[in-house]
Amino acid sequence: MSEDNGSKSPPPELPPRPGKRLTLGHIADQLGISTATVSLALRDSPLVAEETREKVKQTAQEIGYIYNRSAASLRTSRSQIVGVAVHDILNPYFAEVFSALEDVLEEQGQMIFICNHRDDVKRQRAFVNTLLQHRADGLILCPSVGTSAEEINRLVDQGLPVTLVAREVPGVWAPCVRGDDLSGTYQITRHLLAQGHTRIAMVGGRRGSSTGLLRNAGWRNALQEAGIDPDEQIDLPELMTQADGRAAVPRILEAEVQPTAIVGFNDLVAFGLMTTLRRLGIEPGPDMAITGYDDIDGADARTPALTTVSNQPDKIGRLAALTLLRQIAGERVPNKPIVIEPELRVRESAPPPGVRLAPRLAE
């Protein structure tokens, strides 16, 4: 039994009382300058001498001050926030586009909110609403299938600068930066025809998007010019990923008349086709020519190296960012597509029938 000598045990230790929120005034008082100068310095304004800007930033870091973008946006009508929404951030092509536009936007002090809407228009709308709530300066959008011109025009009408990337929506009051998808698949189908192929399938592409429609149209145009009816060829829409490419192979091989060449909607679909064909003993290239689109990282390192179309992601990303920044600055930008010409990359995966260009893989 413990002794009770009448002394009271100390009260349990309480957490420290929260301190007051740091403000611009704390930095201003410490440096003997105005709060307006502090605010300008934290936004890297050229109106403040570089030495003063560095002192302000160093002091802010030392005392733990975090710049309040919400308060600043109320004062300046700018949040320094730009939204970027695409349908498949896992696709390396869009990662390259994002990297390019991010470099440009960050140079101008813009913070990026990103959304992977997965071609779900409801997810896209929820993201856009969040941007509006945060008073975002602008939006770079690869529109979801099902996006209407009316909803984009409503955003523009509300004062939100919008630039479309990769996909067009007819009738929008916004510029669009994209590759020439019609020309790209036309060129690559013409290449296959020049190699002697006459049974040329098309695999992939969401036909509810401008990209899917235009790439399919380029394939069709090239076949029709060669006197080949595209409706008599295999045409499998809606496929976008490597898994989709793998799953398409049985459908292709079950056809009564098999193709000797396949135009893949993108490189991912082409990679999936090549992997599964090889596992079934059909060698990509000499046994069945395969082409892709986008020229993503690693396309030239496959065996066989992939014949594809470079869709200029760096140029498209930078132009999209610069176009949006012009709108944010108040410039009126024409509501018409800025179309970047693609480049054919001829490698080893699409030779004439029966011809091997790549080294044989060891068994």
Side-chain angles (χ1 to χ4, degrees), residues 124-142:
Q124 177 179 286
R125 288 169 185 155
F127 176 69
V128 170
N129 286 337
T130 300
L131 290 181
L132 293 173
Q133 291 164 17
H134 284 82
R135 302 166 62 90
D137 290 347
L139 168 65
I140 294 176
L141 175 66
C142 178

Side-chain angles (χ1 to χ4, degrees), residues 284-286 302-307 346-351 355-359:
R302 295 263 168 163
T303 302
L306 184 64
T307 292
V346 177
R347 297 190 179 115
E348 301 168 338
S349 68
V355 175
R356 177 183 299 277
L357 298 180

Side-chain angles (χ1 to χ4, degrees), residues 68-125:
N68 189 332
R69 285 180 176 267
S70 297
S73 69
L74 293 174
R75 293 191 301 270
T76 65
S77 297
R78 293 279 180 84
S79 63
Q80 297 297 107
I81 292 171
V82 165
V84 178
V86 300
H87 64 280
D88 185 8
I89 197 60
L90 297 178
N91 185 330
Y93 174 75
F94 283 102
E96 292 179 49
V97 171
F98 178 77
S99 178
L101 65 84
E102 181 182 40
D103 287 344
V104 174
L105 293 173
E106 285 190 346
E107 285 175 6
Q108 300 302 314
Q110 294 285 354
M111 177 182 289
I112 299 173
F113 286 7
I114 189 164
C115 169
N116 184 31
H117 58 62
R118 306 175 198 165
D119 266 331
D120 181 341
V121 75
K122 291 182 180 178
R123 285 175 63 91
Q124 177 179 286
R125 288 169 185 155

Side-chain angles (χ1 to χ4, degrees), residues 333-360:
V333 179
N335 304 332
K336 62 181 184 180
I338 301 169
V339 181
I340 308 303
E341 185 64 25
E343 295 180 3
L344 184 63
R345 296 279 193 260
V346 177
R347 297 190 179 115
E348 301 168 338
S349 68
V355 175
R356 177 183 299 277
L357 298 180
R360 186 183 296 274

Side-chain angles (χ1 to χ4, degrees), residues 76-265:
T76 65
S77 297
R78 293 279 180 84
S79 63
Q80 297 297 107
I81 292 171
V82 165
V84 178
V86 300
H87 64 280
D88 185 8
I89 197 60
L90 297 178
N91 185 330
Y93 174 75
F94 283 102
E96 292 179 49
V97 171
F98 178 77
S99 178
L101 65 84
E102 181 182 40
D103 287 344
V104 174
L105 293 173
E106 285 190 346
E107 285 175 6
Q108 300 302 314
Q110 294 285 354
M111 177 182 289
I112 299 173
F113 286 7
I114 189 164
C115 169
N116 184 31
H117 58 62
R118 306 175 198 165
D119 266 331
D120 181 341
V121 75
K122 291 182 180 178
R123 285 175 63 91
Q124 177 179 286
R125 288 169 185 155
F127 176 69
V128 170
N129 286 337
T130 300
L131 290 181
L132 293 173
Q133 291 164 17
H134 284 82
R135 302 166 62 90
D137 290 347
L139 168 65
I140 294 176
L141 175 66
C142 178
S144 166
V145 170
T147 302
S148 68
E150 289 74 21
E151 56 190 306
I152 295 176
N153 293 344
R154 196 177 307 121
L155 297 175
V156 175
D157 201 40
Q158 291 172 359
L160 180 70
V162 178
T163 293
L164 303 186
V165 67
R167 291 174 171 178
E168 278 188 69
V169 177
V172 299
W173 303 337
C176 175
V177 183
R178 64 170 179 83
D180 191 338
D181 296 297
L182 183 74
S183 172
T185 47
Y186 176 82
Q187 290 181 50
I188 210 160
T189 307
R190 291 265 300 174
H191 171 71
L192 290 169
L193 290 164
Q195 301 307 300
H197 295 279
T198 56
R199 300 195 305 276
I200 304 172
M202 172 89 188
V203 176
R206 291 195 174 120
R207 309 298 158 81
S209 73
S210 66
T211 308
L213 281 173
L214 289 171
R215 291 187 189 177
N216 186 258
W219 166 76
R220 287 177 172 273
N221 290 350
L223 291 178
Q224 287 169 341
E225 283 185 8
I228 298 170
D229 185 355
D231 290 331
E232 293 182 357
Q233 310 300 310
I234 294 174
D235 183 11
L236 304 179
E238 306 307 310
L239 310 180
M240 304 287 286
T241 66
Q242 288 198 55
D244 290 338
R246 293 192 295 268
V249 170
R251 297 167 65 184
I252 294 168
L253 298 183
E254 288 167 3
E256 186 175 341
V257 179
Q258 294 179 10
T260 62
I262 302 174
V263 173
F265 170 76

